[in-house]
Amino acid sequence: MLTNTTSGADQARRDPVPQILLVNPASTPSPHKTFEPNIYPNLGLLTLATSLQFALQHSNVAAKVLYYDGALLGDEFIRTYIAQNAHRLAVIGYSAYTLNYGSCLSLARHAKDCNAGIVNIIGNDHFSALYQEVMTRQQGVLDYGFYGNDVVEGFSAFVLGLLTGDVAELTSYPGLVDRDPRSDSGVTRCPENPAEFSRLPLPDYSLLDSLVPHADRYHREQLDFYAYVRDEDLRITVIEIARGCLKFKGRRNESGTPLNACDFCGIIPGSNALSAQNAQRAWEIIRNAFEQGYNYLFVTADELPSTFWPLVRDMAAQMPDWYRALEPADRPRMMCYARADAFRERVQDRIDLLMNTLGFDHFFVGLDGFSSSSLRAMNKGINRLAN
């Protein structure tokens, strides 16, 4: 838990410009839970922070963007910070998933108690799955929300409008959810903009330390979790070169949840079931992280070796000069999720391309809802007799 102030937080307190705080609260406290620190940055918040910072600079608007991960550091510090800086905080954005939704509400109520003028905006999977219920029940606590994934540009433009007092028609902000008495449900949701995925800004990882140090703490947690990372002097971060799942195709319910998704899946996908960067852009994303000091990259795309095999194949065919110029031992290494049956087809070719050509050395393999084909790939059957 982070209990002491730091120089970054002290500087933020002295800075008179408005602040936008983007926070990933810790899991909601419960008697049977213990606090287990996160080991990876919240890439969604970091991308929002990067985009918003660029928008502010481009528009010559003086404001400070702050990142805070309660899943790493706990929420005690940020509650105190909000209370002490409520007069400067213009907007607080909350990243909500089911385990931390209660903490999101607790912090949002606390912020309103400290300064009713703070604009509370919520997003991420839990909100996207239940946006109508959340907006209906949390009046006076949560002011706006953003639904889905393809909302980075909409969020940045909306916050910029709030800061400058020049908010456009609310329907012009992709993904924005607001209360609308003219709507039958009382809530209106603007469509996302999937076209933004190919032009998202390259993350500025220095923003992890915009309020208090996070980067080194993530690294320490990673060293404790992975023995080989500690032994081989690796520094991990997360990158996104593709997103989505084959099971996101087809019909969805009224909240946008795919009906074909695995029962245990908590992801609310964007408008597109599958989205992938082209090979050149993927390499730019890799280089961006590598040049900011990270040599072990967690590629977050689900089922990369199967769902996004064309992208992986193109990346191998289009390796850039900067990557080729590095000695093999100095090149960034990668890890990813994979279906258990991802390597059944042309197994040697796929393993050679991923491991020997592109530097993937760890695969998080799932049984994919206990499908028979995935189980067979692990030499397992669908029932006790077959095992």
Side-chain angles (χ1 to χ4, degrees):
M1 301 286 288
L2 185 68
T3 57
N4 295 322
T5 59
T6 66
S7 59
D10 291 338
Q11 182 178 358
R13 289 190 183 96
R14 293 192 297 268
D15 195 338
V17 302
Q19 298 177 358
I20 303 97
L21 173 63
L22 303 179
V23 58
N24 179 43
S27 294
T28 305
S30 177
H32 66 278
K33 293 180 183 177
T34 58
F35 182 79
E36 297 181 1
N38 193 9
I39 67 173
Y40 301 116
N42 186 307
L43 186 58
L45 281 189
L46 183 60
T47 303
L48 286 177
T50 303
S51 174
L52 182 54
Q53 179 173 260
F54 177 80
L56 293 169
Q57 293 172 346
H58 181 74
S59 300
N60 199 29
V61 174
K64 182 76 172 177
V65 182
L66 304 174
Y67 171 102
Y68 187 82
D69 189 356
L72 175 72
L73 302 174
D75 289 347
E76 179 182 348
F77 170 83
I78 203 61
R79 290 183 70 89
T80 302
Y81 184 86
I82 290 171
Q84 294 177 347
N85 296 271
H87 60 293
R88 293 191 186 94
L89 287 165
V91 176
I92 303 180
Y94 305 86
S95 176
Y97 47 96
T98 300
L99 288 177
N100 79 346
Y101 177 62
S103 293
C104 289
L105 294 182
S106 177
L107 284 177
R109 292 190 186 102
H110 174 62
K112 288 292 189 181
D113 288 342
C114 295
N115 177 5
I118 293 174
V119 178
N120 284 329
I121 303 176
I122 190 170
N124 213 345
D125 287 333
H126 185 88
F127 174 75
S128 297
L130 298 168
Y131 70 93
Q132 291 190 3
E133 292 85 348
V134 171
M135 294 298 288
T136 299
R137 297 175 184 176
Q138 301 304 326
Q139 295 191 43
V141 178
L142 300 172
D143 299 294
Y144 300 96
F146 275 85
Y147 171 99
N149 290 320
D150 301 313
V151 300
V152 174
E153 294 177 346
F155 175 85
S156 298
F158 182 61
V159 172
L160 185 63
L162 290 174
L163 292 174
T164 61
D166 187 24
V167 176
E169 288 291 329
L170 296 184
T171 54
S172 67
Y173 300 106
L176 180 67
V177 179
D178 71 291
R179 297 180 181 90
D180 182 359
R182 298 167 298 179
S183 169
D184 291 341
S185 66
V187 176
T188 294
R189 171 169 67 92
C190 300
E192 300 170 73
N193 180 18
E196 75 167 27
F197 183 63
S198 62
R199 56 177 183 258
L200 289 176
L202 297 174
D204 179 356
Y205 292 95
S206 71
L207 288 170
L208 295 175
D209 298 331
S210 54
L211 180 58
V212 290
H214 285 75
D216 286 344
R217 180 63 182 272
Y218 285 126
H219 185 52
R220 293 201 302 271
E221 296 297 337
Q222 292 161 5
L223 296 181
D224 288 342
F225 194 82
Y226 296 113
Y228 74 96
V229 170
R230 181 172 60 250
D231 296 340
E232 300 177 41
D233 192 29
L234 299 173
R235 196 172 185 91
I236 307 174
T237 197
V238 289
I239 64 171
E240 184 180 56
I241 60 175
R243 66 164 72 131
C245 175
L246 290 172
K247 293 184 178 181
F248 292 163
K249 292 185 176 182
R251 295 173 55 209
R252 302 187 184 193
N253 66 17
E254 61 181 10
S255 294
T257 303
L259 299 181
N260 292 328
C262 296
D263 291 342
F264 54 79
C265 181
I267 297 173
I268 305 299
S271 302
N272 292 340
L274 299 171
S275 298
Q277 305 287 4
N278 60 40
Q280 178 182 352
R281 181 64 172 174
W283 281 114
E284 290 173 355
I285 292 169
I286 291 169
R287 185 176 188 176
N288 175 65
F290 183 61
E291 290 185 343
Q292 293 187 61
Y294 298 98
N295 58 1
Y296 199 27
L297 309 180
F298 187 175
V299 182
T300 60
D302 288 340
E303 307 171 2
L304 184 74
S306 51
T307 304
F308 297 104
W309 182 249
L311 169 61
V312 174
R313 187 180 56 220
D314 290 347
M315 288 175 63
Q318 300 176 38
M319 287 191 296
D321 292 340
W322 69 266
Y323 184 82
R324 294 179 182 275
L326 295 171
E327 293 293 329
D330 296 330
R331 293 172 177 172
R333 292 157 56 180
M334 291 180 277
M335 55 180 167
C336 69
Y337 294 113
R339 288 174 59 98
D341 57 351
F343 303 110
R344 288 182 65 86
E345 182 180 348
R346 301 181 62 185
V347 58
Q348 295 301 328
D349 291 343
R350 292 201 172 198
I351 290 178
D352 178 72
L353 188 146
L354 283 160
M355 299 188 70
N356 297 333
T357 304
L358 295 179
F360 284 85
D361 64 1
H362 277 73
F363 302 94
F364 296 97
V365 178
L367 297 182
D368 311 301
F370 299 101
S371 70
S372 58
S373 60
S374 294
L375 287 166
R376 285 197 300 271
M378 304 292 289
N379 295 319
K380 297 291 184 180
I382 200 72
N383 54 43
R384 181 181 299 178
L385 181 63
N387 289 319

